Amino acid sequence: MDTNIKLRVAAGSVTGARHQRACRNGQDAVFARCDGHSAIAVVCDGCSSGTSSEVGARLGSRWFAEAVADQLATGAAVAERTTYEAARRAVAKRLQALVEASGVVDAAAVHELLLFTIVAVAVTRDGAAVWALGDGAYGCDGTVRVVGPFADNAPPYLAYDLLGDPREASFEVLPATARRIVIATDGVEAFDYDLAVFGAVSTANPDALRRRLMLFARAEERVAWGEGRVVRTPAVLQDDCAIAIVERIA
């Protein structure tokens, strides 16, 4: 029996206008993979107080997606929390090895490099689910869920596992009939978490989403000739933002 399904994934991230003005790297990251059996996408938001938290975000998005794929390949269920918790442990182990390479698990190094949130989605023929640790948002066929915000602007991070302080993740099994799922970092707060803004973005062009995000992160200027002045419109996306869309075609 043919177990393949038709899935498409679009993913993009952008450095927000505020970080562009400060000449800082974007601290959000996205990674997506899709084959004939599954689609997995992960967005991560690096902690703004970490000097180089984009390092952890970029590693974390890729490693978490790979770890979920490994679980699914061994027969784990897409709609079981244990699948994602196993991926969490695998990523924590890789992060710990990274830090230990310099001697010991040092809290300062963890804070500088490895604090990042995660919103992950996986889709197979058998179903779909979203797992999140930290703030962000996700939508399924128009229904949106917001994760967070958290007290004192202190969301949970996977890297706290390395310091012996693991935090609770959220998990939701989505309808098996889900057609279009969107996940995003908390930068989408700029749109009041209205993920319909990206509803018209086609997954057929993998770069369309990134280009759309770039437009939102760009300020606009126009000359008001009759008034003799330049009118400046600030960028919508002042914060970094990463988004992924998984679409079931058939």
Side-chain angles (χ1 to χ4, degrees), residues 225-244:
W225 296 104
E227 302 173 27
R229 64 189 182 95
V230 175
V231 178
R232 294 180 174 85
T233 303
V236 175
L237 278 174
Q238 294 294 314
D239 193 9
D240 302 338
C241 189
I243 294 178

Side-chain angles (χ1 to χ4, degrees), residues 59-75:
L59 291 175
S61 59
R62 176 180 290 270
W63 288 356
F64 197 86
E66 291 175 348
V68 172
D70 289 344
Q71 288 296 309
L72 296 178
T74 60

Side-chain angles (χ1 to χ4, degrees), residues 6-246:
K6 293 183 179 179
L7 297 165
R8 285 201 303 241
V9 177
S13 65
V14 69
T15 302
R18 187 167 58 248
H19 277 182
Q20 292 182 43
R21 289 193 298 272
C23 297
R24 293 191 63 180
N25 291 333
Q27 294 177 311
D28 287 16
V30 60
F31 184 81
R33 51 178 292 163
C34 184
D35 56 30
H37 303 285
S38 66
I40 302 166
V42 181
V43 295
C44 294
D45 179 3
C47 174
S48 58
S49 64
T51 56
S52 301
S53 62
E54 66 272 14
V55 174
R58 291 172 186 173
L59 291 175
S61 59
R62 176 180 290 270
W63 288 356
F64 197 86
E66 291 175 348
V68 172
D70 289 344
Q71 288 296 309
L72 296 178
T74 60
V78 70
E80 291 290 337
R81 179 188 285 267
T82 53
T83 298
Y84 305 87
E85 292 299 332
R88 171 184 186 162
R89 291 191 296 272
V91 174
K93 184 176 180 179
R94 295 184 74 172
L95 291 175
Q96 183 162 344
L98 188 67
V99 178
E100 285 181 343
S102 62
V104 296
V105 177
D106 179 76
V110 169
H111 188 275
E112 179 182 354
L113 299 170
L114 302 180
L115 296 187
F116 57 88
T117 63
I118 298 175
V119 183
V121 61
V123 181
T124 70
R125 176 175 292 278
D126 298 324
V130 169
W131 185 93
L133 185 65
D135 43 14
Y138 60 94
C140 177
D141 294 335
T143 300
V144 176
R145 302 274 191 274
V146 177
V147 185
F150 295 86
D152 301 319
N153 195 28
Y157 298 109
L158 186 148
Y160 287 162
D161 295 14
L162 279 62
L163 305 176
D165 186 22
R167 307 294 176 86
E168 183 72 17
S170 62
F171 177 71
E172 182 177 354
V173 177
L174 302 177
T177 56
R179 304 291 298 180
R180 187 178 173 99
I181 303 166
V182 183
I183 60 172
T185 56
D186 68 347
V188 296
E189 182 183 6
F191 306 103
D192 293 326
Y193 299 101
D194 181 10
L195 298 180
V197 171
F198 303 95
V201 175
S202 172
T203 56
N205 181 348
D207 199 43
L209 180 57
R210 182 192 64 85
R211 294 203 307 267
R212 184 72 180 273
L213 286 169
M214 287 182 64
L215 290 175
F216 284 126
R218 183 184 304 161
E220 294 184 357
E221 292 186 354
R222 65 177 180 85
V223 178
W225 296 104
E227 302 173 27
R229 64 189 182 95
V230 175
V231 178
R232 294 180 174 85
T233 303
V236 175
L237 278 174
Q238 294 294 314
D239 193 9
D240 302 338
C241 189
I243 294 178
I245 302 170
V246 177

